[in-house]
Amino acid sequence: MESKQLKWILLAALALIWGSSFILIKRGLVGLTPFQVGSLRMLFAFCFLLLVGFRSLTQIPLGKWKYIALTALTGTFIPAFLFAIAQSEIDSSISAILNSLTPLNALILGVTFFGLAFQRNQFIGVMVGLAGSLILILSGAAHHPEQNYFYALFVVVATFCYALNVNFIKKYLSDINPLAITTGNFVVMAVPALIILSSTGFFNQLGDEQVQYSILFVSVLGVIGTGIANMLYFKLIQMTSPVFAASSAYLFPVVAIFWGLLDGESIGLVQVFGAMIILGGVYLSAKK
């Protein structure tokens, strides 16, 4: 398959998977704390990747492990907890909308610190997508005045982490197999995640039916929404540019809002309009 076609398939797959992750976090928080959700998410991904990618670890040169650790920290470890904390107070769809700041941050950090070359259409695409995101954010705030938007700052910090991650991968790990990068990431995170999970008293709660219900959703989040999705994402970064790969975040709200509607969250025509603007921004950011 040509890379031109493959990049769009990967983008669509990531939009569907990661756009669905926000509702899975919401379901996980029904019976678990934010730190339990974040830790379990990483541990489920670790178990899955150890089965499918253990042999790929030999492809990582010793000198590259420091970058594997950096991408683990910025790409998954910190954001996994930040998103779970944020969604303890704000809707899953609002969390996904705020995540759309990632491409803008990726462009800013890439140009400022990583020597990223960019085209005018990429900048315009990012700004158009950001405008669509702002429309969605303002509309969501108007619909949910009772929510504590201070917690939205946790998502904003997470988008800066993602922006660092995408630039680290493009600059330092472009020559490494995406499966090896992903597996290496979760090998690094497994022990800290287990320590955090143990400190929450999780293993004393396993008999609770609500906890078991939440674990089921977090297992899907860990294996598909984290393990498999990260492999696809790293492949997309290597094939394209940090800005285009990060632009997948513009599509997440479209999927997340759909799930939110099914779960009783509300959406207006203004939010639909914002979603259409976001799609236009993604197209501009990828256009040659």
Side-chain angles (χ1 to χ4, degrees):
M1 184 181 296
E2 295 182 7
S3 61
K4 185 177 180 181
Q5 295 173 316
L6 181 59
K7 73 178 183 182
W8 288 107
I9 292 173
L10 291 175
L11 189 73
L14 284 168
L16 181 60
I17 294 171
W18 269 338
S20 301
S21 293
F22 300 94
I23 194 67
L24 292 172
I25 294 172
K26 182 178 180 178
R27 291 298 190 188
L29 288 168
V30 170
L32 300 169
T33 69
F35 284 97
Q36 289 172 340
V37 170
S39 300
L40 276 175
R41 177 180 185 176
M42 285 180 274
L43 290 170
F44 276 119
F46 167 72
C47 293
F48 166 73
L49 288 164
L50 205 61
L51 289 174
V52 302
F54 180 75
R55 293 184 178 181
S56 68
L57 293 175
T58 59
Q59 300 175 30
I60 304 175
L62 189 60
K64 294 282 189 178
W65 274 99
K66 59 180 177 290
Y67 300 120
I68 293 291
L70 276 174
T71 56
L73 185 67
T74 58
T76 302
F77 193 83
I78 295 175
F81 294 114
L82 292 178
F83 274 101
I85 293 169
Q87 284 190 221
S88 66
E89 290 290 335
I90 63 176
D91 279 346
S92 59
S93 55
I94 298 300
S95 182
I97 291 163
L98 290 169
N99 189 57
S100 299
L101 292 169
T102 300
L104 177 62
N105 293 336
L107 181 61
I108 292 170
L109 293 178
V111 171
T112 306
F113 299 107
F114 294 89
L116 175 69
F118 68 97
Q119 299 173 345
R120 184 177 63 178
N121 63 275
Q122 287 180 312
F123 177 77
I124 294 172
V126 166
M127 297 310 294
V128 169
L130 180 61
S133 297
L134 289 174
I135 290 173
L136 285 171
I137 290 168
L138 294 173
S139 178
H143 277 80
H144 305 282
E146 76 287 353
Q147 293 184 7
N148 187 348
Y149 270 76
F150 171 79
Y151 280 75
L153 293 176
F154 289 106
V155 180
V156 174
V157 174
T159 64
F160 274 101
C161 290
Y162 284 151
L164 280 172
N165 177 55
V166 72
N167 281 291
F168 281 142
I169 292 169
K170 187 66 177 180
K171 188 173 181 66
Y172 301 114
L173 298 174
S174 284
D175 56 336
I176 306 296
N177 185 320
L179 177 58
I181 298 172
T182 312
T183 306
N185 280 172
F186 287 93
V187 166
V188 169
M189 292 184 287
V191 173
L194 183 59
I195 291 171
I196 292 172
L197 183 64
S198 300
S199 70
T200 65
F202 168 76
F203 296 105
N204 297 323
Q205 302 173 252
L206 290 176
D208 189 303
E209 187 175 337
Q210 202 169 54
V211 170
Q212 295 170 1
Y213 169 85
S214 292
I215 290 172
L216 177 63
F217 285 101
V218 177
S219 68
V220 177
L221 177 66
V223 174
I224 300 176
T226 306
I228 293 175
N230 275 8
M231 285 189 285
L232 298 179
Y233 190 52
F234 297 157
K235 178 65 176 177
L236 185 62
I237 293 169
Q238 292 174 343
M239 287 177 57
T240 59
S241 70
V243 174
F244 178 78
S247 293
S248 60
Y250 280 151
L251 296 171
F252 301 165
V254 181
V255 178
I257 287 171
F258 170 76
W259 284 115
L261 286 173
L262 293 181
D263 200 49
E265 298 176 12
S266 60
I267 181 174
L269 290 176
V270 175
Q271 289 172 301
V272 174
F273 177 66
M276 297 304 295
I277 293 177
I278 285 171
L279 291 174
V282 174
Y283 174 75
L284 286 172
S285 70
K287 188 178 179 182
K288 294 293 185 183

